[in-house]
Amino acid sequence: MKTERLNAYFPGVRSYYIIGEIAIVTPKRVNVDYNLVAQKIMQAHPKIKAVYLKKKVKGELRTNELEFLSGERISSTIYKENGVLFYVDIVTVYVNPSLSGDRLKNVELVEEGSIILDAFTGYGAIALNIAHKKRAYIVAGDVNIDGLYMLKKSLSLNKIKGMIDIVQYDAHYLPFRDKVFKLSFGDNPTLIIDFKEELCRVSENVVFYILCESKDKANSSLGKTEWVKINDYSKNLFIFKGVVRC
């Protein structure tokens, strides 16, 4: 869950997220006593066991670089989103609860009985949200084996309507036949252009996420469609989402 903003108490601090028993603070400037911030958060939420400071998202696996602030040095927890339970380790997968609403909207794009690919599944956020509500067959794949093990654990925590198969692969070379998927989800905003051709090869339609400056840039990079801004990344960069017919 996303909580109240902290900048009224600590200028320079934007907000923080609670993921199960863990809170992650999003900084704006570095000249803030984040130990005091952590103490205030833990006082306000006694169930929180650990507080971390988010530095940046790094590497091909898109993991958070985190600085431990207070509490117990735990990184694994279970959190609930849209009625779905997720087992996550915040050190080895990227977790962003602010996109829970967008993931719920993805369910509306899926037809009952269709074959779906969650191409960069991570810990299974998109796949499980869909399977929880739709009787679809979903392939959830990623190069990050740690995230796939988390998804496997999460499957045992939930009652789902659909079916999920978990596959490890390099998405540059997807191990699937041409046009086998009715719809694929390409949630890898920073690198998605590199995977466009392969995703379109195996899919009739792809829901692309892209980090760029404008809708025009998204159109020229991935195809003309109705691009929707779903998140602000920085002053001049945004995450856009659009469904492209391949």
Side-chain angles (χ1 to χ4, degrees):
M1 58 178 284
K2 189 172 182 178
T3 61
E4 69 273 13
R5 292 182 177 272
L6 287 175
N7 54 10
Y9 304 99
F10 303 98
V13 182
R14 286 189 290 182
S15 60
Y16 61 100
Y17 295 103
I18 295 177
I19 302 170
E21 298 174 315
I22 299 171
I24 300 179
V25 181
T26 303
K28 188 174 182 181
R29 297 195 301 267
V30 295
N31 57 338
V32 173
D33 188 340
Y34 285 107
N35 290 318
L36 288 178
V37 173
Q39 290 175 24
K40 177 172 174 56
I41 292 173
M42 296 190 78
Q43 288 170 4
H45 303 277
K47 292 183 179 180
I48 290 178
K49 293 184 177 179
V51 182
Y52 288 85
L53 178 68
K54 178 180 177 180
K55 293 300 190 71
K56 61 181 179 180
V57 179
K58 61 179 181 178
E60 181 184 1
L61 301 183
R62 297 180 297 148
T63 55
N64 276 320
E65 182 180 332
L66 301 169
E67 178 185 332
F68 175 77
L69 292 176
S70 185
E72 303 175 24
R73 289 186 176 272
I74 62 168
S75 60
S76 298
T77 189
I78 294 172
Y79 87 101
K80 193 171 186 178
E81 173 184 300
N82 300 326
V84 185
L85 293 173
F86 291 97
Y87 173 86
V88 295
D89 184 333
I90 61 169
V91 171
T92 53
V93 293
Y94 177 65
V95 183
N96 188 347
S98 71
L99 296 178
S100 61
D102 175 70
R103 289 190 276 266
L104 198 57
K105 290 179 181 178
N106 284 337
V107 177
E108 301 171 6
L109 300 174
V110 175
E111 297 177 4
E112 291 278 346
S114 57
I115 302 175
I116 305 297
L117 173 65
D118 182 8
F120 306 95
T121 197
Y123 62 94
I126 290 177
L128 266 174
N129 267 284
I130 294 171
H132 182 62
K133 293 179 173 62
K134 287 290 181 74
R135 297 186 185 279
Y137 170 65
I138 304 155
V139 176
D142 207 291
V143 70
N144 185 348
I145 191 68
D146 293 320
L148 298 181
Y149 277 119
M150 290 175 216
L151 172 53
K152 185 176 180 181
K153 288 185 177 182
S154 296
L155 283 173
S156 65
L157 299 175
N158 295 277
K159 293 181 180 180
I160 60 174
K161 294 181 179 180
M163 187 173 87
I164 296 178
D165 271 343
I166 302 171
V167 183
Q168 186 189 27
Y169 52 58
D170 177 348
H172 290 97
Y173 311 99
L174 292 170
F176 309 115
R177 300 190 310 273
D178 293 358
K179 303 301 180 187
V180 68
F181 296 105
K182 178 75 172 179
L183 182 68
S184 291
F185 291 87
D187 185 9
N188 190 349
T190 57
L191 299 173
I192 194 62
I193 295 172
D194 297 341
F195 301 98
K196 176 190 174 183
E197 183 176 347
E198 188 67 352
L199 283 172
C200 275
R201 180 184 67 79
V202 303
S203 314
E204 295 180 19
N205 305 276
V206 180
V207 179
F208 284 115
Y209 292 77
I210 183 171
L211 178 67
C212 61
E213 303 89 345
S214 65
K215 294 180 181 181
D216 288 341
K217 180 64 175 179
N219 274 324
S220 62
S221 299
L222 294 173
K224 290 186 177 181
T225 189
E226 184 63 35
W227 293 98
V228 177
K229 184 171 70 172
I230 64 166
N231 204 8
D232 294 346
Y233 187 83
S234 64
K235 183 178 180 181
N236 298 313
L237 286 174
F238 313 94
I239 295 179
F240 292 95
K241 171 187 175 181
V243 183
V244 174
R245 185 167 183 82
C246 294

